[in-house]
Amino acid sequence: MKVIWSDTAKLHWSKTLDFIAKNFGVSAVETFIKKTMEATKQISAMPDSDPVEPLLSDFDADYRSIVFAKHSKLVYTIYDNCIFINDYWDTRQETTLLKNRL
């Protein structure tokens, strides 16, 4: 299935990359990118295998999420033959922020 990233997801993921680069170096950025790409491939191959995101269970859409690093999730929805990554989420943030961004 085709995977499309929202502007919001790209923005928050990019900010995380900047933070990792400044605090942990290029090697850590490369590792993070690799983990993200592996998660994206997994979502594409088996989109229904990840659970519905509990923080968003009261929304009408079925938001699913995949944890791909210690504190990192990709939150996505499935539309027809397309997977839409709605947000990159650092799980250490206040949970209301995620709801407000979607």
Side-chain angles (χ1 to χ4, degrees):
M1 271 191 197
K2 182 178 181 178
V3 176
I4 300 171
W5 284 62
S6 71
D7 290 340
T8 300
K10 289 178 194 175
L11 174 67
H12 292 109
W13 186 73
S14 178
K15 286 182 178 182
T16 299
L17 289 178
D18 291 343
F19 176 82
I20 293 170
K22 289 176 187 171
N23 293 283
F24 303 104
V26 174
S27 178
V29 169
E30 291 170 351
T31 299
F32 191 77
I33 291 171
K34 183 178 176 184
K35 287 181 179 184
T36 305
M37 295 304 111
E38 289 170 356
T40 303
K41 286 179 187 175
Q42 182 178 335
I43 291 169
S44 179
M46 299 178 294
D48 293 322
S49 66
D50 298 304
V52 172
E53 173 55 49
L55 295 174
L56 304 173
S57 61
D58 56 336
F59 279 57
D60 288 337
D62 283 335
Y63 288 95
R64 295 180 175 275
S65 64
I66 183 170
V67 177
F68 67 94
K70 188 174 183 178
H71 300 289
S72 299
K73 286 184 179 183
L74 294 178
V75 177
Y76 66 95
T77 49
I78 304 165
Y79 295 106
D80 296 326
N81 246 359
C82 187
I83 297 160
F84 188 70
I85 297 181
N86 304 91
D87 209 349
Y88 159 77
W89 181 247
D90 183 325
T91 60
R92 296 169 288 190
Q93 296 176 335
E94 173 59 42
T95 57
T96 56
L97 291 175
L98 178 60
K99 288 183 176 187
N100 292 338
R101 291 192 326 210
L102 299 175

